[in-house]
Amino acid sequence: MTDLTLAYHDAMRAALAEARAAGEAGDVPVGAVVLDEAGTVIGAGHNDRERTGDPTGHAEIVAMRAAAAVRGEWRLSGCTLVVTLEPCTMCAGAAVQARIDRIVYGAVDLKGGAVGSLWDVVRDRRLNHRPEVVAEVMADECAAPLIEFFSTRRVR
């Protein structure tokens, strides 16, 4: 474990609390927080697709929207997105578009991850912005709620 991964444990615990809220609401337990340059949480969210019927209701999108509202602008330069599951293509693309400086994620998503597993959207040299990636922070703790959720439910 590096000092860099240790630095994000508190933020990942906050994201895990968001993930638990998603699971309790019957949604896939993924949570995210956005940190400003000082490391303060300025946006938080969890998967909310079931309640809202919104296909873009992923934890990362919800958290980035909240952070943008706090900042009063769409640019999240200097910010870090901390999420319990490796972002999908939509969320990775949104992080690039928002100019997020760093993406920190927990569990790897071999079926839909777009930050190095299945695809690598954020490191594509053709894009004008490429966030730093810190992978597998508290990976086992982040995978546990997902494993439990899917072991008790049938995927639609």
Side-chain angles (χ1 to χ4, degrees):
M1 192 172 319
T2 67
D3 289 341
L4 189 57
T5 60
L6 278 172
Y8 293 108
H9 277 214
D10 287 343
M12 191 61 79
R13 284 187 196 93
L16 278 164
E18 289 289 333
R20 282 190 291 279
E24 290 166 4
D27 216 318
V28 178
V30 177
V33 296
V34 176
L35 308 175
D36 67 9
E37 297 88 337
T40 302
V41 174
I42 60 168
H46 55 268
N47 278 3
D48 200 22
R49 294 182 305 170
E50 296 300 327
R51 185 186 68 79
T52 62
D54 179 358
T56 68
H58 288 205
E60 301 94 312
I61 301 296
V62 175
M64 285 188 286
R65 284 179 179 153
V70 166
R71 282 217 160 159
E73 66 171 331
W74 62 268
R75 287 178 193 84
L76 297 176
S77 301
C79 292
T80 299
L81 172 66
V82 180
V83 59
T84 59
L85 180 65
E86 180 182 358
C88 68
T89 54
M90 175 181 68
C91 296
V96 169
Q97 291 300 314
R99 310 298 192 264
I100 290 281
D101 278 11
R102 183 177 301 105
I103 297 172
V104 177
Y105 71 85
V108 172
D109 185 354
L110 297 174
K111 292 183 179 181
V115 185
S117 294
L118 190 56
W119 296 286
D120 203 349
V121 171
V122 300
R123 293 187 194 110
D124 190 319
R125 292 182 185 271
R126 295 169 292 183
L127 299 175
N128 66 338
H129 180 75
R130 289 181 295 281
E132 174 187 0
V133 175
V134 180
E136 298 185 62
V137 173
M138 299 175 60
D140 292 340
E141 294 93 325
C142 292
L146 292 160
I147 292 166
E148 180 182 342
F149 181 85
F150 286 112
S151 71
T152 61
R153 290 171 178 79
R154 186 177 154 174
V155 180
R156 293 182 189 177

